[in-house]
Every structure is written in C-alpha cells, then in structure tokens.
Amino acid sequence: MPNSVVRSRVSRLVTTAAALAAAALIAGCGSGTTTSTSTTAATPSGTTTASLSAAPQTSVTVHVDKMKFSPDAVTITAGGTVTWKFSDKVPHAVQGIGDSAMGINSPILTDGEWSHTFTVPGTYRYLCPLHPEMRGTVTVR
C-alpha cells in the first residue's frame, strides 16, 4: 500500500478520534451548571420575595409534597447537607442527573426523610425518577 494511502487513513482516524473526543466533552453528562440562584424569604406582610444573592447555608430542607420539590433550588456551603422531607400521598425519590450528581440516590419514600452531604462546590441537578417533571437544583459554594 502506498505511503500516501496509509497517511490518508491515519489522518482520517486521528480526525475521527478527535471529533469523537470533542463531541463527548461537549455533550458530556454534565451538571448543566448555572450561574444564578434564587431563594425565597417571607416578609412581615406574609408575602414572599425572591433574592438572588442569599448567603449559602450549611443545611437546608427541601419538602417533597404535592408533586413538587419545595424549594426547587437551594444553595449551601461545601460540606453542607440537604435533607428531603417526604410527605405526599404518592411515592417519590431523589436521583441525581449527570456525572457530578451520581451519588444522589434516595430510596423511594412517601413519608420520612433522606439526606445527602455535598463536599465539592458545583451545581447538582436532580429529579424524581418516578415523576421526571419534578426537578431541583443544589448549588454548593
């Protein structure tokens, strides 16, 4: 086989491998990192207001009730814990989305609670695997 044919094939293989590697990095199973967070706070009049720059907490509780996570976006400090409290008529669970959230995987519960400690800063997305429209985000700073 002539050298030019061999070089052409090697060049195509290298190009294909590079394209596949780039596609894998771009697609990833990433966490879908976002840069803004939102929390709510009660005002004296009983209404709620949104704040974009609340200080992260060391522990947060997310209520799982009425087919939703409430609040659905929380911010904690690294080493902090999120506790999901289940109190719905139908079963739910918490399951991480993407590579960075692989350790987030609660049992299926209708009542009770489950906690996870986050040690690495980042944004972690999760959902209820039984009701995938139920989604939430934990931002760790």
Side-chain angles (χ1 to χ4, degrees):
M1 198 177 306
N3 278 342
S4 62
V5 172
V6 171
R7 275 183 283 193
S8 175
R9 285 185 179 173
V10 169
S11 177
R12 269 188 270 145
L13 285 173
V14 169
T15 302
T16 301
L20 288 173
L25 285 173
I26 291 169
C29 289
S31 66
T33 302
T34 58
T35 57
S36 65
T37 59
S38 169
T39 59
T40 58
T43 63
S45 64
T47 60
T48 59
T49 59
S51 168
L52 292 177
S53 60
Q57 300 175 3
T58 57
S59 65
V60 175
T61 299
V62 174
H63 296 276
V64 185
D65 189 23
K66 299 178 183 164
M67 296 294 290
K68 66 181 179 178
F69 295 112
S70 181
D72 63 353
V74 297
T75 301
I76 60 170
T77 56
T81 300
V82 176
T83 300
W84 286 267
K85 287 196 174 194
F86 298 82
S87 58
D88 206 346
K89 295 178 182 177
V90 296
H92 298 289
V94 177
Q95 181 177 356
I97 302 171
D99 291 345
S100 64
M102 291 296 287
I104 305 170
N105 196 13
S106 79
I108 297 171
L109 299 168
T110 53
D111 222 2
E113 60 184 47
W114 181 78
S115 298
H116 183 80
T117 300
F118 293 83
T119 58
V120 179
T123 300
Y124 300 85
R125 298 178 306 136
Y126 65 90
L127 58 73
C128 172
L130 303 173
H131 310 99
E133 68 280 3
M134 292 175 58
R135 293 174 176 256
T137 305
V138 176
T139 302
V140 182
R141 294 191 177 154

